[in-house]
Amino acid sequence: MQVHVVKSKIHRVKVTGADLNYIGSITIDEDLMEAANIIEGEKVQIVNNNNGERLETYVIPGPRNSGEITLNGAAARKVAKGDVLILIAYALMDFEEAKQFKPALVFPNEENNLLN
């Protein structure tokens, strides 16, 4: 049996931008991606703490040490600059492997989205 488990989580980052005219995705500071073990093109779930919205999209890297968290395309309508998000990536793995697996959990500075 295989199960979906949390692989990566970036907890409580602020939206720095929303670009409706982009083709889609979420732009994430590459330092945050690396710390959370998230790769370019990976699907992530976005949970908006401010309005309860939940959506899925794929990741594109933003400039390192920028703190950038920008929702692009239609997803831009689901956030406002300054909203607090939780970003989650999941993995499918064997049940026994999942019991031992430890996800990458990242808790950036809530003021600037940078790693402490």
Side-chain angles (χ1 to χ4, degrees):
M1 173 180 16
Q2 293 198 315
V3 293
H4 286 272
V5 297
V6 173
K7 177 188 81 69
S8 309
K9 179 177 171 184
I10 302 174
H11 191 74
R12 296 185 62 84
V13 287
K14 286 186 182 175
V15 174
T16 60
D19 185 356
L20 185 61
N21 295 312
Y22 192 82
I23 59 172
S25 71
I26 181 171
T27 304
I28 302 174
D29 177 325
E30 199 165 2
D31 285 340
L32 293 175
M33 288 175 58
E34 191 172 274
N37 196 28
I38 294 173
I39 61 171
E40 183 174 359
E42 186 169 356
K43 181 170 84 170
V44 292
Q45 180 181 43
I46 300 165
V47 180
N48 187 328
N49 284 0
N50 291 76
N51 63 19
E53 289 283 354
R54 289 175 173 257
L55 61 118
E56 292 179 338
T57 191
Y58 62 94
V59 174
I60 59 173
R64 286 188 179 276
N65 201 38
S66 66
E68 182 176 357
I69 302 291
T70 300
L71 275 290
N72 303 305
R77 293 194 183 276
K78 304 287 188 179
V79 300
K81 189 173 179 179
D83 281 0
V84 175
L85 307 179
I86 298 170
L87 311 176
I88 308 163
Y90 299 92
L92 185 62
M93 60 182 64
D94 177 75
F95 185 74
E96 292 303 319
E97 179 187 8
K99 288 181 183 180
Q100 306 300 319
F101 180 76
K102 301 294 182 222
L105 306 175
V106 178
F107 300 89
N109 180 312
E110 289 188 37
E111 295 302 314
N112 58 17
N113 296 338
L114 299 179
L115 299 171
N116 293 328

